[in-house]
Amino acid sequence: MKKSLYLTSSGTLSRDQNTLLLELETGEKRYFPIEQIGDIHCFGEASLNKRLLEYLTQQGVPVHFYNYYEYYLGSYYPREHNSSGFLTLKQAEHYLDESKRLDLARRFVRGALQNLQQVLRYYAHREKPVHPMIEGIAQVEAQLDNAASVETLMQLEGQAREMYYSAFDPVLQNPDFAFESRSRRPPANRLNALISFGNSLMYTLALSEIYRTHLDPRIGFLHATNYRRFSLNLDVAEVFKPVLVDRTVLTLVGLRQIQPEHFGEELGGVYLNDEGRKRFIQAWEERLQSTFQHRKLKRNVSYRTAVRLDLYKIEKHLIGEKPYEPFRAYW
Amino acid sequence: MNPSDPITGTHIHYFLVCPRKCWLSLHHLHQEADSDLVELGRLTHERTFARQQMREVDVDGFLRIDFTSEGIVHEIKHGQSEEQAHRMQLAYYLYQLRLRGVQTHGVLHYPNQRRKERVELTPELEAELQQVIQQVEALRQQPLPPQVPRPMRICRSCAYEEFCWSDDEEVEQ
Ligand code: SF4
């Protein structure tokens, strides 16, 4: 199983024979065997050269960059090693054909809404007063079949998310982590900072997994292709955000593993500081590596693998073998 | 997919192991080969290769054949369970070489079992091979991959396992 390498401090990354060498500003050197690295996430200042990029291309390792405020900046997405002209044509066809695109977009939203409800059900079982929100999302879900455009689907998803977020305060009941409302750029409070950071990690996780399949990340169905470099990862992220990001956030706050001291305020926004970021990444990785029993493979698979399995299901949808049924959490 | 993509020895092998795997491979839906089994196969290959002083030759960009200096074709295999598929893959190389005016025979190596098998392109074997080639061509034309109703034993060690069995719904009993 390949690992993600998260660089939270600043340093220089280079190739040293057949390993990856990280030299920190303190002068400390760390070596990583390349075969074990799936992708690299740079949060601090990173210096790297073309020789390293050539090596990463050869080894098929994408690199994701974030700025100081934890916003996603962009990715180095090495030349595809795994492409299938046949599948790329099918993917484009499903984007260009309006009814095919709508069908797929609806599947992503349905998957997202089902997982939103699943997360809330988890807290309902723990005596949290969130039944009205589950009801509300179910009602939105019932309208999906009538949505005649991708825009309408997006709006419905927005409505469902709003109801879902209104459950965060009753779930957490923690004045230090009040939700108030969703704010993005910049996040206005701690909970929003956590959600934004988690979402960035989710988008890059989906992108790294797409890299390992035959799918083209530039052709999304729910998220418009035109204005972004990558969009398919955003579609897939919708399905997994509730299970991976939101559960990580709610657990970290619920168990008080993240505290107010792990944040800083800057330029009118609230951001995780170094220690907060480290704690989040650790919890995130634990969640990705945790496993569940897969009923067809008849073995335990990790949530990270579950993301890739969904990409395979999307491939099978595109080649016309089987309609895509998004991942559903069964706790 | 390019309909004129030539059939490779691997396609022949896959077809006899699992036609679905062959279809997926013909459509360039290769799966990442990061399983230990694949690694084991590669090591077996490299060791034997060194011992026999073989050369690898790429014929017309689609046949990767291992030769010894005497011009005999060698295939080194890890695991014995797919013998017929191995034999046919080797027969396919011999056949393609003959089309190019080279008459030779081949040897299948099972170094882990310390066993070898000589393979000649007899008229019988060739007739069998022709049938397989036709079936692979017909398979390529199929719009969908062949369906496999439930996981087979060989799926466990197949690089396509996660692709084929990605769905996590109730398996019908
Ligand atoms: S996983 Fe099983 S069904 Fe799929 S290609 Fe491999 S052997 Fe065939």
Side-chain angles (χ1 to χ4, degrees), chain A residues 82 84 86 212 214 294-299 305 308-309 312-313 315-316 319-322, chain B residues 1 20 27-32 34 144 147 156 161-170:
Chain A
N82 232 346
S84 155
F86 168 74
R212 303 179 63 186
H214 314 88
H294 190 285
R295 283 175 288 194
K296 275 234 175 108
L297 292 169
K298 292 219 175 10
R299 58 175 153 88
T305 301
R308 191 164 66 255
L309 294 180
Y312 292 148
K313 292 188 221 164
E315 289 190 357
K316 288 194 272 192
I319 64 183
E321 189 174 20
K322 194 169 193 297
Chain B
M1 174 199 45
R20 178 178 171 84
H27 290 75
H28 297 276
L29 293 166
H30 308 285
Q31 299 301 317
E32 259 190 25
D34 56 4
L144 287 177
Q147 303 296 302
R156 282 267 157 201
E161 186 200 20
E162 288 189 348
F163 178 87
C164 291
W165 308 108
S166 49
D167 302 71
D168 188 21
E169 65 235 9
E170 298 297 346

